[in-house]
Amino acid sequence: LNIHGNNVKDFDFVSSFRFKIDPPICIRKLFGIGGELYEQKIDDIFDFERRIVSRIFDGRLVRKRDDGWWLRYFDDIDNKPQHIRPVMFQLVMKYRKSFYDFIYKSKREAINAHMFHDIMQTAILDNLRQDEYKDNKHTKSFPIKEKLNIWFSLYEFFGDQIKQCGGQKMANQIQQLQQRMHEIISHADAHIESDAEFAYAAGQVIYYLLSCSEASNKSHALLEPYLQKTDAEQFKLAISRTFSQYKHAISFYKGRFEKLMSEVLAYEPERNLKSLLPMILAGYFAESVIYQKHEKQEQN
């Protein structure tokens, strides 16, 4: 029985309420950020609501206030742009009933893999479009990386996505791809061997190229035109054009950029680029293997 004021919002029979999440959820630090989200496991459904649902909807569905938690499963939501971004409003309205059933009625089938994938990808792309580069930092880097950590950590939690990863857990695959990038740039006979490696390497290359821009607002939104490509040749052509545009500003770090760039341009992916979008995002927002050694030398 869900009552708000004098209004009955929901009245239903729940045969078995599942409070515990077993095994518990653990959000992995895959993109170099910290916070309370990663400090302990999530082992009950209300902890999931407060720590996960609040973040993926940017506090528009579940939000902590001084007097408790603000839940908007049944509220009328003002969709004016000054109150909520249009994309986030659509996500909240489309999926809030599913999350309510998932949490309060133990209908674990209410959210499937396709729905979770759609929510995370759409929310991340919306944050990406909103990003601005101010005071030598990106305004949306943290929420984007936080969502990426949630997305890849829970990739298998909501269903059958493990089949899309070649039988591996997605979080583990992201770490393995970072290791593979080091191998590829370090050894002449190491080459890209899979579509996932191609997409991840492309993300690394695009990040490096865009970081060479002398524009005052090097927003993450500059990534979006690449993500809109569906044809691999057009995608690689866009990368080549960006290189031509910024080549005067590119420093060569013992062949690391050249090696990764040549590998990306030479590889022919079999899968549709849309299905590789998560890996492109992962490569873009992960620690750069092109910059990595050079930055550590400067610190030393």
Side-chain angles (χ1 to χ4, degrees):
L1 178 63
N2 187 305
I3 300 177
H4 185 73
N6 293 324
N7 298 316
V8 175
K9 298 296 184 180
D10 183 56
F11 183 57
D12 201 359
F13 173 74
V14 177
S15 59
S16 178
F17 179 70
R18 298 167 64 185
F19 173 72
K20 284 291 183 181
I21 296 176
D22 188 25
I25 293 171
C26 182
I27 304 300
R28 303 270 292 274
K29 293 182 183 180
L30 303 172
F31 296 94
I33 60 171
E36 60 88 19
L37 178 63
Y38 314 96
E39 293 171 1
Q40 60 187 27
K41 295 178 180 179
I42 298 171
D43 62 359
D44 72 67
I45 199 65
F46 298 121
D47 201 20
F48 169 84
E49 178 183 50
R50 293 165 182 170
R51 296 173 63 189
I52 301 297
V53 180
S54 63
R55 285 172 166 85
I56 64 178
F57 291 104
D58 289 342
R60 299 303 175 183
L61 181 59
V62 175
R63 178 187 294 177
K64 187 175 184 179
R65 301 194 302 189
D66 293 337
D67 58 346
W69 286 89
W70 186 39
L71 309 178
R72 309 199 70 185
Y73 294 109
F74 300 101
D75 292 359
D76 292 330
I77 299 177
D78 188 345
N79 64 351
K80 293 180 180 178
Q82 62 266 36
H83 298 143
I84 185 172
R85 298 189 305 277
V87 171
M88 187 54 66
F89 174 77
Q90 292 170 9
L91 282 179
V92 169
M93 299 306 293
K94 183 177 181 180
Y95 291 114
R96 65 178 181 174
K97 176 64 164 59
S98 298
F99 274 91
Y100 176 78
D101 289 345
F102 182 87
I103 295 167
Y104 291 92
K105 299 184 181 181
S106 296
K107 294 182 179 179
R108 297 299 165 87
E109 72 282 0
I111 304 173
N112 58 36
H114 174 77
M115 294 162 65
F116 181 67
H117 180 86
D118 179 51
I119 293 166
M120 299 311 301
Q121 179 171 304
T122 304
I124 289 169
L125 292 180
D126 187 45
N127 283 159
L128 188 142
R129 295 184 196 103
Q130 299 294 319
D131 181 64
E132 293 180 299
Y133 191 70
K134 295 180 177 179
D135 301 323
N136 294 320
K137 62 182 180 181
H138 292 273
T139 59
K140 294 296 182 181
S141 274
F142 189 88
I144 290 173
K145 290 180 178 181
E146 194 167 63
K147 288 184 179 70
L148 285 169
N149 281 333
I150 292 171
W151 192 7
F152 295 129
S153 296
L154 301 186
Y155 222 80
E156 294 78 40
F157 180 73
F158 287 105
D160 59 1
Q161 289 150 316
I162 196 168
K163 297 176 183 177
Q164 301 177 14
C165 312
Q168 301 180 59
K169 286 190 174 182
M170 179 61 87
N172 293 339
Q173 192 180 28
I174 298 299
Q175 293 182 323
Q176 292 170 8
L177 286 170
Q178 187 74 357
Q179 293 173 359
R180 280 289 294 151
M181 295 304 107
H182 283 287
E183 294 172 7
I184 291 169
I185 64 174
S186 302
H187 304 285
D189 58 349
H191 303 288
I192 290 176
E193 298 176 350
S194 69
D195 288 0
E197 290 180 7
F198 162 77
Y200 192 91
Q204 291 266 302
V205 166
I206 294 168
Y207 174 82
Y208 176 74
L209 288 172
L210 294 181
S211 71
C212 294
S213 168
E214 296 177 358
S216 58
N217 186 16
K218 295 187 284 189
S219 164
H220 289 319
L222 295 173
L223 174 62
E224 188 175 17
Y226 302 93
L227 302 178
Q228 292 175 345
K229 304 295 183 187
T230 57
D231 178 76
E233 292 307 313
Q234 290 297 316
F235 177 70
K236 291 190 285 186
L237 181 60
I239 293 175
S240 298
R241 286 173 174 166
T242 306
F243 170 72
S244 297
Q245 183 178 355
Y246 300 139
K247 62 183 179 182
H248 65 280
I250 293 175
S251 298
F252 296 95
Y253 300 117
K254 297 181 180 179
R256 295 196 292 274
F257 168 72
E258 300 99 302
K259 181 63 159 55
L260 211 57
M261 177 81 166
S262 63
E263 289 289 327
V264 168
L265 296 181
Y267 186 81
E268 297 294 336
E270 296 179 359
R271 290 166 57 185
N272 184 282
L273 279 182
K274 286 297 182 184
S275 68
L276 296 173
L277 187 146
M279 290 302 185
I280 298 173
L281 286 169
Y284 180 89
F285 284 101
E287 184 178 14
S288 172
V289 298
I290 299 171
Y291 278 125
Q292 198 171 50
K293 186 177 179 182
H294 181 70
E295 289 178 344
K296 287 181 178 178
Q297 286 175 342
E298 284 189 344
Q299 289 169 6
N300 292 334

